[in-house]
Amino acid sequence: MKKYFFTAILSAGILFAGCGEEVAENKPPLVKVEQVNFSSTADNESYSGTVCGRYETNLAFQVGGKILSRNIQVGEEVSAGQILLTIDPKDAVEQNRSANAQVQSALAQLNLAKSNLERYTELFNQNAVAAATLDQYKTQYDSALASYNAAVAQSEQSRNALGYTNLTANASGVISAVNVEVGQVVAAGQTVLTLTQTDELEVAVNIPENKISTVQIGQPCAVTFWANNQAVEGKVREISPVADSTSRTFPVKISLQNISAKKIQLGMTATVEIDSQQLQTQEIILPLSAIYQTGNQAQVWIVKDGKVELKNISATNFEKNSVKVRGLSAGDLIVTAGINKLHSGQEVRTK
């Protein structure tokens, strides 16, 4: 009896020991993780800038001449089609008269060549002249017709030049520079005015070369104007790829948002605070061992509610043992070791 009792106890112990080993074997694997944290105390960079128009046009006459009248001043608002400057039209008028006379002369030669061609065509039909003679008058007519067409084209060109003696505004805006005075002789194509369109304003700033890497297109900015202490929202619109040869800084254009009700004028001084926090929350450095590659898509394992799942990311810069990535959120738990042994939905332990 005692022997059977001892055997039962021994069998039960072995059974319980086996169950304990099975429980230990089924325990979720332990993984090494790294939590995504973004600094909330990142310092935003501030720069001084000047208000300018996004579109500035250097205006010039299409013909040369002497400035006869100036109808605008610097800072004056103008409308599209408004006459800004005029040059003396005397030369253009005379050229147009000469061109018109050339048209009349060419027309007379064309009429004569046409009459001769008609006469000799009739004679040829009566077998009164040879075909070679008729061909000669056909050639004269074709030459006269070409000369007439050339004279007409030159007349149109001279008439256009007469209209070019008035310089008109190509768009509404403000005259930001005047480079000539009445009585001055200018050449065709010489810049005489600068017209700045005011329907879309922006702020121009210069970023040092050691800070340009922290600035990206579309990055939000806070723009404050020194004159009236008004603040508006802005975005980085353009970053020059080349540094200024003198200051060694990079010109950057900040577009202004929702400024219709603000009293903002060209040339105002503004302080631009670029939000470097947003850029920082977009990127994080991870060890290469955390990257799980599926085809052309880079991914990482995220631990969520005790289970792992893949999350797509984009790699922006590779180093020797690390990589800079985007696409993660603050608080994400990233598996940084043993990623090839995991499968989606698998339970894991982090400690």
Side-chain angles (χ1 to χ4, degrees):
M1 184 68 178
K2 291 182 179 180
K3 181 179 180 181
Y4 291 115
F5 179 74
F6 177 75
T7 303
I9 293 176
L10 182 60
S11 300
I14 294 174
L15 179 61
F16 283 114
C19 291
E21 291 177 0
E22 185 178 355
V23 171
E25 291 176 356
N26 292 333
K27 185 180 295 186
L30 181 65
V31 294
K32 183 180 179 181
V33 296
E34 179 179 322
Q35 187 173 29
V36 178
N37 290 315
F38 300 116
S39 173
S40 60
T41 59
D43 294 329
N44 294 339
E45 300 291 342
S46 296
Y47 305 96
S48 296
T50 304
V51 177
C52 59
R54 177 172 180 176
Y55 301 104
E56 291 186 350
T57 307
N58 293 324
L59 301 181
F61 285 101
Q62 293 182 248
V63 294
K66 181 180 180 180
I67 301 293
L68 195 63
S69 66
R70 168 180 157 182
N71 305 322
I72 44 81
Q73 302 293 332
V74 175
E76 184 175 340
E77 294 185 359
V78 297
S79 303
Q82 180 178 338
I83 297 177
L84 309 177
L85 292 172
T86 60
I87 59 176
D88 193 343
K90 291 180 181 178
D91 291 341
V93 170
E94 294 301 326
Q95 290 176 1
N96 184 247
R97 288 180 179 175
S98 176
N100 290 336
Q102 292 292 331
V103 171
Q104 296 301 320
S105 176
L107 180 60
Q109 293 295 327
L110 178 62
N111 290 334
L112 176 61
K114 182 179 180 182
S115 298
N116 289 335
L117 178 61
E118 290 175 351
R119 186 182 305 113
Y120 276 87
T121 299
E122 185 177 352
L123 292 174
F124 175 77
N125 292 334
Q126 297 174 2
N127 295 320
V129 295
T133 303
L134 180 62
D135 291 341
Q136 179 181 356
Y137 282 97
K138 284 183 177 180
T139 301
Q140 290 179 359
Y141 173 79
D142 291 341
S143 177
L145 179 61
S147 297
Y148 173 75
N149 291 333
V152 171
Q154 189 170 0
S155 176
E156 291 293 330
Q157 185 177 8
S158 65
R159 186 166 59 183
N160 292 338
L162 186 60
Y164 295 152
T165 57
N166 292 327
L167 182 64
T168 59
N170 64 311
S172 299
V174 173
I175 301 299
S176 55
V178 178
N179 304 324
V180 295
E181 295 294 341
V182 174
Q184 182 176 343
V185 177
V186 297
Q190 177 183 341
T191 299
V192 294
L193 298 174
T194 300
L195 174 64
T196 302
Q197 299 181 34
T198 55
D199 55 346
E200 191 169 351
L201 298 178
E202 58 187 18
V203 175
V205 297
N206 294 310
I207 308 297
E209 56 186 8
N210 63 331
K211 296 292 185 180
I212 193 63
S213 61
T214 65
V215 181
Q216 294 183 353
I217 300 294
Q219 199 168 347
C221 309
V223 182
T224 305
F225 299 96
W226 178 84
N228 50 29
N229 203 31
Q230 293 190 50
V232 299
E233 296 178 358
K235 285 187 177 181
V236 177
R237 182 186 67 82
E238 178 184 293
I239 301 175
S240 174
V242 181
D244 183 83
S245 58
T246 303
S247 63
R248 306 309 306 169
T249 57
F250 289 81
V252 174
K253 300 293 182 64
I254 310 296
S255 63
L256 303 178
Q257 314 292 317
N258 303 322
I259 60 172
S260 58
K262 306 289 185 179
K263 295 182 178 180
I264 300 174
Q265 298 180 355
L266 295 172
M268 276 187 170
T269 302
T271 299
V272 178
E273 186 174 337
I274 299 179
D275 188 0
S276 59
Q277 174 65 20
Q278 189 200 46
L279 177 65
Q280 198 171 16
T281 58
Q282 291 178 347
E283 295 182 341
I284 187 173
I285 298 177
L286 293 176
L288 284 174
S289 60
I291 307 302
Y292 184 85
Q293 192 78 17
T294 304
N296 295 327
Q297 178 62 58
Q299 298 174 307
V300 293
W301 287 104
I302 304 290
V303 180
K304 187 175 182 181
D305 298 330
K307 297 181 180 181
V308 291
E309 58 185 37
L310 286 172
K311 187 172 185 178
N312 293 338
I313 59 169
S314 59
T316 60
N317 187 30
F318 285 90
E319 300 293 341
K320 184 176 181 180
N321 296 313
S322 62
V323 58
K324 184 180 290 186
V325 303
R326 290 187 181 181
L328 297 174
S329 304
D332 283 345
L333 284 178
I334 312 299
V335 179
T336 58
I339 60 174
N340 294 323
K341 298 180 180 180
L342 301 176
H343 58 84
S344 184
Q346 181 179 359
E347 293 186 358
V348 296
R349 293 178 297 139
T350 58
K351 57 181 179 179

